[in-house]
Amino acid sequence: MRSALPVVIDPPSADVPIHVDQPNVSASVVFRKPVDGPGQLFVRGPITAAGYASTDGPRPLCAVARLRPGYGSAALGPADAAELVDRSVPLAEFWGDRADRLAAELSELWPDPARVAARLEDALLQRISSADGSTPYRALLDSAQHALTSDTGRGGVGAIARDLAISERHLRTLFHTEIGLSPKLFARIARVRRAARAATAGVALSDVARESGYYDQAHMTTDFRRIMGISPAAFVSGGRPAPRLCAGPPP
């Protein structure tokens, strides 16, 4: 069950001048604690483009619980995941007063990020456990995600749907409702994330393209620039777009 919910502290270190907020194919629950003032809990939907956060000066604590794709309805309650894409909304819209009580509890645990992360994780896991089984297509979603992010996904969405014995329309609807992204965009973000990891690890860009499932380096560069905001070569050399602070909910 815990594999459904990794929690990270963001930004991780003052030694990193600009923290990369990676694109993500699933929703996250975020606790944001300013240096002064109460903390806030909010939900971030899938992120279709990278962001860049400055770590200079006073920085809010951001504890980020990244849900596995398909677990959003169990953690949050019935919702159309597509409505959350590239948006942030208060967790109270899903949990009501319980979100406010949890935010107050997490604020009391500051300045201990490890305890904040552990308590946030426990609260969400309790919610997921109580709603376990509420997503009847989770196994199907897991199989489709695996296919889309592996070499078997090169045949396209139609081929994956046939392998899963469902219609292509059903597969697209399932992704739209439970994850919020089309299968094609899901696969594109996953490939770019894989490419960013490999390129940062020092793999040659031509090899990165092949190992990340691209037909050629030009195709990878187009997708990478669209989602990360800069080219793979610039990203590897340390180039970053203008940074921002850890994102919070709209005022």
Side-chain angles (χ1 to χ4, degrees), residues 9-67:
I9 301 298
D10 174 23
S13 172
D15 296 331
V16 180
I18 298 179
H19 170 62
V20 181
D21 187 12
Q22 294 276 2
N24 206 300
V25 294
S26 64
S28 301
V29 176
V30 181
F31 175 69
R32 185 178 187 272
K33 176 66 172 70
V35 176
D36 296 313
Q40 300 169 296
L41 277 166
F42 59 95
V43 179
R44 292 187 72 188
I47 304 168
T48 61
Y52 298 86
S54 173
T55 60
D56 292 336
R59 306 187 326 278
L61 164 78
C62 284
V64 183
R66 297 193 176 104
L67 303 170

Side-chain angles (χ1 to χ4, degrees), residues 11-214:
S13 172
D15 296 331
V16 180
I18 298 179
H19 170 62
V20 181
D21 187 12
Q22 294 276 2
N24 206 300
V25 294
S26 64
S28 301
V29 176
V30 181
F31 175 69
R32 185 178 187 272
K33 176 66 172 70
V35 176
D36 296 313
Q40 300 169 296
L41 277 166
F42 59 95
V43 179
R44 292 187 72 188
I47 304 168
T48 61
Y52 298 86
S54 173
T55 60
D56 292 336
R59 306 187 326 278
L61 164 78
C62 284
V64 183
R66 297 193 176 104
L67 303 170
R68 276 185 58 194
Y71 280 80
S73 59
L76 304 175
D80 187 342
E83 295 182 359
L84 290 173
V85 174
D86 290 324
R87 293 183 60 214
S88 296
V89 299
L91 181 62
E93 291 192 12
F94 300 93
W95 284 17
D97 292 344
R98 183 183 175 191
D100 296 330
R101 292 194 298 270
L102 179 60
E105 183 180 347
L106 295 175
S107 295
E108 290 295 323
L109 295 176
W110 174 250
D112 189 334
R115 293 180 67 196
V116 169
R119 180 65 188 99
L120 176 59
E121 181 181 36
D122 286 343
L124 287 164
L125 286 173
Q126 288 175 14
R127 179 85 174 202
I128 291 171
S129 178
S130 65
D132 195 31
S134 63
T135 304
Y137 300 111
R138 188 171 293 156
L140 187 61
L141 273 172
D142 287 345
S143 296
Q145 291 169 50
H146 176 73
L148 284 166
T149 56
S150 65
D151 289 339
T152 59
R154 290 192 177 214
V157 176
I160 292 172
R162 287 192 297 273
D163 289 343
L164 296 174
I166 60 174
S167 69
E168 184 175 341
R169 180 179 180 180
H170 185 187
L171 182 60
R172 293 182 186 279
T173 299
L174 191 58
F175 266 74
H176 179 90
T177 302
E178 298 294 338
I179 297 177
L181 306 173
S182 69
K184 183 176 181 180
L185 181 54
F186 178 97
R188 178 182 297 144
I189 292 172
R191 282 197 302 268
V192 168
R193 285 175 60 91
R194 189 189 313 170
R197 287 194 299 269
T200 303
V203 179
L205 292 181
S206 57
D207 293 331
V208 169
R210 183 178 62 256
E211 294 172 5
S212 300
Y214 289 100

